[in-house]
Amino acid sequence: MDRCRRLPEGGDVAYEVVELRVHGVSGASAETLLDHPVVTRVAGDDNAGFYRPRPGFGVSDRPAALEVEAYRWGALTAGGAVRTVSLLFLLPFMLVNLAVWTRPATGAAGGVIGPLCRLLAATLTAAFVLSVVGVSVDLIGWQCVPYQPCLRGRGYLSWLAHLPLGPRLALLALVPIGALRLLWWLGERSARVFEAFPAARGQDRTSGGEDRVDSPGFWNDALAVHRLRAIHVAVGLGVLDASLLGALAHLHPTPLAHLLVGAAWVLLAAGVVLLLRPARTTPDGPGRGPVDLRGIRPLRIGATVLTVLTLSYCAVVVEPEPPHGQLPGHEGAVAGLVALQAVLLGALVTATVHQRRSSRAAGSSWLGGLATPVFAATAVAVSYGFAAALVYRVADLLDRGEIPNPARLDRPGAPPLEPPVSYRWAALAGLLTVLVVTATVLWRIAVTRRQRRRMAEEIVKRDFPDPPPEALPRRAAVREIVARSAIAEHLGPVLTVFLVLSVVGVGVVALDLVGIGPSQLSRRWAGTDGEAATNLALATDVGMYVIGLVGLGILVLGLFSYRSDETRRTVAAIWDLGTFWPRTVHPFAPPCYAERAVPELAKRVAALADHGGVIISGHSHGSVLAAATLLQLPSRVLPRVALLTHGSPLHRVYARLCPAFFGDPILVELGDRVGWRWVNLWRDTDSVGGPIFSAHRPGQRPHVTGPAGAVDRRLRDPRGITVPPDDTVPPPVNRHWPYHTDEAYEAAVRELAGRLEPGGGSGSAGASARGA
């Protein structure tokens, strides 16, 4: 192939350049990405593939030396019902896994934040198992089955009454085991498609310091997930074993029962010790070295053997008198776990504040680098919201439609169903949090409206200085779009309020350690009358319904997101942010799609750059994948690589939310690596993307000098507010999509192509690498 073709208007470079487009969370088709009616896949597979226009189809005014290719990775995170269910049930695990990646940037290792997040993640697994134990073993096996009114008309439960207590509990204990296996399956779903993808070695600059995105093996955590999965399964089984053995030892104490209870606690302690140790070790300390799998096999064997012995002991133990009240020890276990989570959250806040003091990037990040405890507290709140909704909905069903309530007398002959008081506290705390956070959001939107409109007015005045009278309504509509796009910059206080309420709420839930619920506290400590206690109990009932509605709302939102482009982009942005990072904290979180996407992109770019130039064009979240790819590329190919980002959240979201991994120093280093062959296109109407170096908020003037000051290029949107002479409607407001159809985009591609350094191999090798 002739490599001496000159690019019109593109500079002095005269060799082949490939523009590699990477889409964002919207998951555009390859035809849409390439603006071509017929495409063909040249590499990859159906889950993530590289596509090019099929020769001989369509029309292109590009020179032959400037080819275009698209990387379509949307299928890695796509799905129907299974993904929606995963969104609902795996959300707490995804949030706690995300928490560790939002820690402040200190230039040193993560310190105690990593171990604290891993311990908190283990408590979420324990809370999940306890909630299922509360439904199957406590409510059904212990409280409902012995009472005939609870079994009336329920053939699916009445057969359990014919079983002795021990075998009945052993049989119902299979439900938590099955639920734990369901979590395993949901978290492992499609992992084989993109986890542990062979990764090219990048430049190792860790030296025992901050865990960096450019370190080798960063996107290969299959063994770390395997290690964490074994630990969490052992923790879940240990919680189940301790619950069963504790109850039976309370009714029928025997030396064997106490011995097995002690073994269960040893199993839990072993899991804690392994979680405190880093998954990966290097000669200089914790880092991205080999995964330490020592102790995992004995832990897995011990958990399996202990669970088999526990179920066997339950099945043969002599049955005492029929049980009354709650499963012994269950309420204390739930309350103690909540108290432990409150302590861990307090320690996490303290550790994050301490690290923030030594962080140079804290001032430009949301919450000053305190997003870690926000996500951790959110994970705990969502976890107990789901647990409370599950336990009380089942109790409501078993109690013939009446939620068990301390202020409501039990009907004669009805089972005195008593879920743990902690869930009632969680319902009350959840109700207050939803109300206060919603009010805070509305307050922030209202109080910042004037400021945002003033900023938007300056922008539209600059873009459309002298509009004709008939264009004034259109100009006002554009101003409102610009003002709404800046809302995210003003919601920091909302996160602060949520963090405070969550930490206080978790602490208050721990009041169940002394057996005090909301209505009892009202009676005993506040000195209120019975009516006030009843009203407080009714408020917790409302909280139960609110929590259930929130869970249903998440499910409906996930289903609705596949029919609405705007909703899909919002949901996908949150989901793809959480599943972008490796699972180094919770193994049941949704799999990390970047573990395939980034190494695959790096391999493809390196192959193309060996035989020509490559412009990586990333839109929206695709720009984050592009940045991570460049940080993994070997230095020999970087002179032949350029970066084009558009609608990019690299600074607006990632630099602020994840300062340790995509903070300003990392972005500057990224520019240095590509020799500042980097153009970033952005619009004021874009609510997701924005400038990377030239401004920190929409509407600010550029203030950066040097090569970084030439990266950001603002696009006027819309192009005009009047109807052009050759059109019937005014130009559209493009907002976040599309960018690649803008004239400035094509000009940026040709400019970057002209700035690339020539190099490469033979023509035949180049054709093979291109997959043509």
Side-chain angles (χ1 to χ4, degrees):
M1 180 179 292
D2 181 13
R3 296 186 181 275
C4 297
R5 296 173 291 190
R6 185 171 300 276
L7 298 177
E9 307 173 3
D12 299 328
V13 175
Y15 72 113
E16 186 175 87
V17 175
V18 176
E19 177 203 345
L20 179 56
R21 297 178 179 177
V22 185
H23 66 78
V25 297
S26 57
S29 66
E31 291 80 3
T32 302
L33 285 172
L34 296 173
D35 278 334
H36 204 276
V38 183
V39 300
T40 181
R41 191 174 68 231
V42 296
D45 55 25
D46 291 337
N47 296 298
F50 297 86
Y51 296 82
R52 288 197 177 186
R54 186 172 178 181
F57 291 82
V59 178
S60 176
D61 59 352
R62 277 191 169 186
L66 185 55
E67 300 189 25
V68 61
E69 182 172 303
Y71 178 61
R72 187 173 185 275
W73 56 273
L76 295 178
T77 57
V82 173
R83 186 190 178 196
T84 303
V85 171
S86 300
L87 173 62
L88 180 63
F89 292 106
L90 304 183
L91 182 59
F93 310 142
M94 183 185 75
L95 291 172
V96 75
N97 187 74
L98 179 59
V100 76
W101 299 108
T102 59
R103 64 179 184 259
T106 61
V112 300
I113 289 182
L116 286 174
C117 287
R118 290 194 294 271
L119 288 178
L120 196 60
T123 65
L124 295 183
T125 300
F128 172 81
V129 173
L130 278 178
S131 66
V132 182
V133 168
V135 169
S136 61
V137 178
D138 181 21
L139 289 179
I140 296 178
W142 192 272
Q143 297 191 50
C144 175
V145 171
Y147 293 90
Q148 187 59 36
C150 186
L151 301 179
R152 188 185 307 116
R154 292 172 173 156
Y156 55 90
L157 291 180
S158 58
W159 62 275
L160 291 172
H162 302 291
L163 296 177
L165 175 63
R168 181 169 73 240
L169 297 184
L171 180 63
L172 290 173
L174 297 178
V175 177
I177 296 176
L180 199 60
R181 185 62 181 89
L182 175 63
L183 285 185
W184 185 332
W185 177 79
L186 288 176
E188 194 180 38
R189 183 184 63 87
S190 302
R192 62 182 180 275
V193 176
F194 45 88
E195 275 193 336
F197 191 79
R201 294 186 61 84
Q203 302 179 46
D204 186 4
R205 302 192 179 199
T206 56
S207 300
E210 187 79 79
D211 191 8
R212 291 171 52 103
V213 183
D214 64 348
S215 59
F218 185 91
W219 300 106
N220 192 339
D221 263 322
L223 289 179
V225 173
H226 173 74
R227 177 181 184 272
L228 284 174
R229 184 182 296 130
I231 297 174
H232 277 249
V233 169
V235 168
L237 293 178
V239 169
L240 172 64
D241 297 339
S243 299
L244 291 174
L245 294 169
L248 294 178
H250 175 78
L251 289 181
H252 192 72
T254 63
L256 180 58
H258 290 298
L259 178 64
L260 291 177
V261 169
W265 281 105
V266 170
L267 177 64
L268 293 174
V272 170
V273 171
L274 289 174
L275 288 172
L276 290 174
R277 296 172 56 184
R280 292 180 179 270
T281 56
T282 65
D284 300 314
R288 307 301 288 184
V291 176
D292 185 2
L293 296 177
R294 291 175 298 177
I296 297 303
R297 182 178 177 83
L299 182 71
R300 185 168 54 237
I301 295 175
T304 303
V305 171
L306 180 60
T307 302
V308 171
L309 291 176
T310 298
L311 297 181
S312 301
Y313 179 80
C314 289
V316 300
V317 70
V318 178
E319 183 178 357
E321 63 182 39
H324 298 282
Q326 295 176 323
L327 182 73
H330 180 64
E331 182 165 1
V334 175
L337 186 62
V338 176
L340 175 61
Q341 289 175 328
V343 172
L344 291 175
L345 282 177
L348 190 60
V349 172
T350 304
T352 308
V353 171
H354 176 72
Q355 288 204 13
R356 176 187 175 275
R357 293 176 179 174
S358 58
S359 174
R360 294 172 295 177
S364 63
S365 59
W366 287 336
L367 290 177
L370 296 180
T372 292
V374 170
F375 281 110
T378 306
V380 173
V382 173
S383 172
Y384 275 99
F386 289 166
L390 172 66
V391 171
Y392 269 87
R393 290 283 72 78
V394 173
D396 190 20
L397 174 66
L398 296 177
D399 204 26
R400 308 291 181 180
E402 291 190 7
I403 300 179
N405 191 320
R408 185 182 299 122
L409 297 177
D410 293 324
R411 293 174 298 169
L417 298 180
E418 299 177 11
V421 177
S422 294
Y423 294 136
R424 183 161 293 280
W425 276 115
L428 183 61
L431 176 62
L432 293 176
T433 301
V434 169
L435 294 177
V436 174
V437 170
T438 301
T440 306
V441 170
L442 297 177
W443 169 71
R444 289 298 298 171
I445 292 175
V447 299
T448 62
R449 182 176 290 114
R450 180 175 298 179
Q451 177 185 352
R452 290 184 287 108
R453 284 182 175 176
R454 184 165 54 248
M455 175 271 297
E457 183 66 26
E458 294 177 0
I459 293 174
V460 296
K461 277 185 177 180
R462 184 176 67 219
D463 289 343
F464 315 109
D466 298 308
E470 64 273 12
L472 291 179
R474 177 69 170 174
R475 181 179 176 275
V478 173
R479 184 195 65 184
E480 289 301 314
I481 293 174
V482 173
R484 286 197 298 268
S485 69
I487 289 178
E489 275 72 21
H490 300 274
L491 295 182
V494 177
L495 301 180
T496 304
V497 169
F498 176 80
L499 175 61
V500 172
L501 289 176
S502 298
V503 174
V504 172
V506 173
V508 170
V509 171
L511 286 174
D512 189 24
L513 281 173
V514 292
I516 295 179
S519 56
Q520 291 94 333
L521 182 66
S522 175
R523 287 196 187 99
R524 299 180 188 178
W525 292 3
T528 58
D529 56 14
E531 182 179 356
T534 301
N535 292 336
L536 190 58
L538 293 177
T540 60
D541 289 351
V542 174
M544 293 295 175
Y545 284 110
V546 169
I547 291 175
L549 290 176
V550 170
L552 180 62
I554 295 176
L555 181 63
V556 172
L557 186 64
L559 295 173
F560 186 70
S561 66
Y562 297 98
R563 298 188 178 185
S564 168
D565 291 339
E566 288 294 330
T567 307
R568 181 174 67 249
R569 280 194 290 267
T570 302
V571 174
I574 299 173
W575 188 251
D576 289 348
L577 170 66
T579 56
F580 172 74
W581 298 102
R583 296 187 289 178
T584 58
V585 169
H586 206 299
F588 300 146
C592 168
Y593 62 88
E595 291 198 4
R596 169 172 176 172
V598 172
E600 189 170 46
L601 270 171
K603 181 178 181 180
R604 181 67 177 175
V605 170
L608 293 173
D610 282 341
H611 309 285
V614 181
I615 301 172
I616 308 179
S617 172
H619 171 257
S620 188
H621 189 71
S623 67
V624 183
L625 289 175
T629 299
L630 285 174
L631 292 171
Q632 287 283 322
L633 286 177
S635 57
R636 62 179 177 82
V637 304
L638 289 175
R640 297 185 294 278
V641 177
L643 178 61
L644 174 59
T645 54
H646 38 106
S648 172
L650 267 173
H651 186 276
R652 195 174 190 181
V653 176
Y654 280 82
R656 297 173 176 178
L657 202 60
C658 309
F661 303 96
F662 282 109
D664 291 338
I666 302 297
L667 296 179
V668 171
E669 180 181 341
L670 183 64
D672 289 334
R673 290 196 178 198
V674 295
W676 292 103
R677 294 180 298 275
W678 185 359
V679 172
N680 177 61
L681 306 177
W682 64 281
R683 303 183 179 115
D684 286 302
T685 55
D686 191 343
S687 61
V688 177
I692 294 177
F693 298 104
S694 63
H696 290 280
R697 287 190 179 184
Q700 283 186 319
R701 297 285 187 176
H703 61 274
V704 178
T705 59
V711 170
D712 294 314
R713 300 183 185 179
R714 176 181 173 272
L715 304 183
R716 187 175 70 172
D717 187 39
R719 296 181 181 178
I721 56 176
T722 59
V723 179
D726 58 345
D727 204 343
T728 58
V729 294
V733 182
N734 289 317
R735 305 188 191 187
H736 188 57
W737 172 268
Y739 276 85
H740 65 283
T741 58
D742 197 292
E743 295 176 357
Y745 178 92
E746 187 68 19
V749 169
R750 297 184 184 233
E751 174 191 335
L752 291 173
R755 293 166 59 187
L756 288 170
E757 298 181 16
S762 64
S764 60
S768 175
R770 292 189 306 274

